[in-house]
Amino acid sequence: MSKQPSPKFKDYTNTFFSQAEPLSAEKRNELILTYTPLIKYIAARLAARLPAQVSLDDLISCGIIGLIDAINKFDVSKNVQFKTYAEFRVKGAMLDELRALDWVPRSVRRKTTDLEKVYADIEKQMGRPATDEEVAKTMGLALDDFYKLLDETKSVSFMDIEFLRQKSMETSEPTLAETFAMDDRDPFTSLNLSQIRELLASAIAGLPEKEKLTVSLYYQEELTMKEIGEVLGYTESRISQMHSKAMLRLRAKLKKSLAS
């Protein structure tokens, strides 16, 4: 399957930018209108994985600010497509807003930490990835309640990935190994990106096959959860749970690697 991120959106660098003369006010306004659908696309992709209290309109508003920032700072002489640069700035503005909101309840973060610990403990004991049944039993939960817990904590793991992916793009092209993140309180924020990439490459390689494929299709091929479900033959909800389990395993593996 070939990668086709945001296929409906074209790059218009050569149409709007020139090294010979600055962007006129008329062209600037036209450029903003041209890339407004891209802002809505990025906002919708983020909002689909966030709680209902996070406003799509607020994300779009932040994205517009990010687009204007991209227009102001874009340097055509660096031989980078404006679309690529604009996506980075737009998503960065949205993620900055989400960080400022601090919308994740402490109880949900605590549950996420508890899940990470259980995954790490079982893997250490068994020498292999933990099964759903093993994690549910260890936590004293029925399997259905375990899946509900994954759904409750999915936003934390999803946004953690987006934060680090954005950070990695500040210095280099993102890779699959850069698609994992952590909040500012995590101890491994002090690691440099090359260390993170190496740790993640190893951790992703050790994921169960279906979870590894889910991560690849979502972050590398940029499919939606629904599209991944159609490819793998699962419901969108089950794909979301696979994604959450993958993220919990990766966080646990990173912390283990850091401790050693």
Side-chain angles (χ1 to χ4, degrees):
M1 184 181 298
S2 60
K3 182 179 178 181
Q4 295 182 325
S6 312
K8 68 181 82 171
F9 304 112
K10 299 179 181 179
D11 177 66
Y12 293 96
T13 304
N14 294 333
T15 304
F16 289 95
F17 293 94
S18 167
Q19 295 190 37
E21 57 185 28
L23 196 66
S24 67
E26 181 180 357
K27 283 284 189 179
R28 179 188 179 89
N29 291 336
E30 184 181 351
L31 182 58
I32 292 173
L33 290 176
T34 299
Y35 279 97
T36 296
L38 176 62
I39 295 173
K40 293 180 179 179
Y41 172 85
I42 295 173
R45 187 171 167 85
L46 284 177
R49 311 290 302 147
L50 298 173
Q53 67 263 29
V54 179
S55 168
L56 176 62
D57 288 341
D58 287 346
L59 290 179
I60 292 173
S61 296
C62 292
I64 292 173
I65 295 173
L67 177 61
I68 293 172
D69 182 55
I71 294 172
N72 291 338
K73 295 181 178 178
F74 183 67
D75 185 351
V76 68
S77 67
K78 291 187 177 180
N79 199 30
V80 176
Q81 288 189 342
F82 177 74
K83 176 180 174 291
T84 301
Y85 185 69
E87 284 182 294
F88 166 69
R89 288 291 177 185
V90 166
K91 182 177 286 188
M94 294 178 186
L95 294 177
D96 286 345
E97 174 67 9
L98 290 172
R99 268 196 191 279
L101 289 174
D102 194 22
W103 48 269
V104 181
R106 290 184 179 180
S107 60
V108 174
R109 289 196 181 277
R110 184 170 62 250
K111 290 175 183 178
T112 303
T113 301
D114 291 342
L115 275 168
E116 289 173 20
K117 185 177 186 304
V118 170
Y119 273 103
D121 289 346
I122 293 176
E123 178 169 329
K124 181 179 180 180
Q125 180 181 353
M126 299 293 185
R128 56 164 174 77
T131 66
D132 296 353
E133 291 77 11
E134 288 168 341
V135 176
K137 182 178 179 180
T138 300
M139 301 191 76
L141 298 172
L143 202 54
D144 285 346
D145 291 331
F146 166 67
Y147 291 136
K148 290 178 182 177
L149 181 59
L150 287 178
D151 290 336
E152 186 178 356
T153 59
K154 65 184 179 183
S155 297
V156 177
S157 60
F158 170 74
M159 288 311 303
D160 280 349
I161 289 180
E162 291 295 345
F163 284 132
L164 183 58
R165 194 180 189 198
Q166 189 72 12
K167 179 181 176 183
S168 71
M169 288 176 68
E170 293 176 5
T171 56
S172 62
E173 286 296 313
T175 67
L176 180 60
E178 293 167 348
T179 58
F180 180 77
M182 52 301 250
D183 62 59
D184 286 337
R185 289 163 287 188
D186 282 320
F188 36 78
T189 53
S190 60
L191 291 175
N192 63 43
L193 289 176
S194 62
Q195 290 176 293
I196 293 173
R197 285 193 290 267
E198 290 174 4
L199 291 175
L200 281 171
S202 175
I204 291 171
L207 288 174
E209 196 60 35
K210 290 177 183 177
E211 292 176 26
K212 187 193 305 182
L213 187 55
T214 296
V215 170
S216 175
L217 290 175
Y218 189 83
Y219 292 101
Q220 189 170 358
E221 304 297 340
E222 296 193 355
L223 299 185
T224 65
M225 295 290 174
K226 182 178 180 180
E227 289 169 338
I228 296 171
E230 292 172 355
V231 171
L232 300 184
Y234 291 97
T235 63
E236 182 177 357
S237 174
R238 187 50 55 93
I239 293 298
S240 176
Q241 291 164 359
M242 287 184 187
H243 172 274
S244 295
K245 288 185 288 183
M247 298 306 103
L248 290 164
R249 295 185 205 276
L250 290 176
R251 289 181 64 95
K253 286 177 178 290
L254 277 181
K255 289 181 177 179
K256 178 182 177 181
S257 298
L258 181 64
S260 62

